[in-house]
Amino acid sequence: MNKNLLGIALGGLLIASGLGASGYFIGQTLYNAKVAMNTAEVKGLAEQRVEADVANWSLSFSNQVKSKAEIPSLYQLAEKQQQEIVDILKANGFTDEEITVGLIDYSTYEYRDENQVVVEQDHDLTGTISLETTKIHEIAKVRAAVNKLIAKATIFRIMRRHIGLPS
């Protein structure tokens, strides 16, 4: 009978300690939830405008022709446009260290009919120029000059189409 009584007492003690521990953790969770409800986290009320000290500007240009025979002249045009952009940047006070001339990439696109026969091709050259500078206020002036170059290239393409030359 002593063994049986000791087993019952030990079982009761384990159940009581388990209930006590679970009650403690439930109470602690409720307390933490109530404390969290009485606090507020605020972000963004002290916003202010900060002037940048470095500008990164990536310029890209693209030219496209339909005929594979025109690709050499397309490369010459792309190199000329690339040099024009670099000249504009240098004329506005930017140095060679601030200007990074990227590669001119070539890609071709094929258009096929329902029989998978190539009916048309586009040959595309894309170039990039990057400018990293601390002359933040000079960028706006240069953008206007580059926009004029874009307008000139667009008008040239439109004129070539109206004359009947490949664009």
Side-chain angles (χ1 to χ4, degrees):
M1 182 127 143
N2 237 356
K3 280 185 166 182
N4 197 9
L5 187 59
L6 183 63
I8 292 174
L10 187 59
L13 185 62
L14 286 174
I15 290 173
S17 65
L19 286 172
S22 66
Y24 170 77
F25 287 117
I26 290 172
Q28 197 63 24
T29 302
L30 291 174
Y31 175 77
N32 288 341
K34 185 160 178 65
V35 168
M37 286 175 52
N38 293 331
T39 60
E41 186 175 327
V42 179
K43 294 181 182 179
L45 291 179
E47 291 180 8
Q48 65 183 26
R49 292 185 77 92
V50 178
E51 187 171 316
D53 56 351
V54 176
N56 291 313
W57 185 23
S58 180
L59 299 110
S60 63
F61 57 94
S62 174
N63 292 298
Q64 193 176 64
V65 292
K66 300 283 184 192
S67 170
K68 195 170 190 172
E70 292 181 84
I71 294 175
S73 63
L74 189 64
Y75 267 106
Q76 291 173 350
L77 176 63
E79 288 174 347
K80 179 182 174 225
Q81 288 174 335
Q82 191 176 50
Q83 190 58 47
E84 284 180 20
I85 294 171
V86 169
D87 291 344
I88 289 172
L89 293 174
K90 287 182 180 179
N92 284 281
F94 297 105
T95 63
D96 287 331
E97 291 79 30
E98 296 171 315
I99 301 169
T100 305
V101 177
L103 297 175
I104 297 175
D105 293 324
Y106 169 76
S107 57
T108 183
Y109 303 99
E110 293 181 343
Y111 303 99
R112 298 175 181 264
D113 63 7
E114 62 274 353
N115 297 323
Q116 297 302 313
V117 176
V118 176
V119 292
E120 189 177 344
Q121 285 185 333
D122 287 338
H123 303 278
D124 190 30
L125 290 179
T126 304
T128 58
I129 298 171
S130 298
L131 177 69
E132 183 173 341
T133 183
T134 57
K135 302 170 191 165
I136 307 300
H137 300 289
E138 302 299 318
I139 298 265
K141 297 175 198 171
V142 175
R143 287 186 70 137
V146 170
N147 285 342
K148 289 178 184 174
L149 183 65
I150 292 170
K152 184 175 93 173
T154 304
I155 289 170
F156 179 69
R157 283 191 195 117
I158 291 171
M159 286 173 38
R160 286 183 71 173
R161 282 190 196 122
H162 287 303
I163 295 171
L165 298 172
S167 56

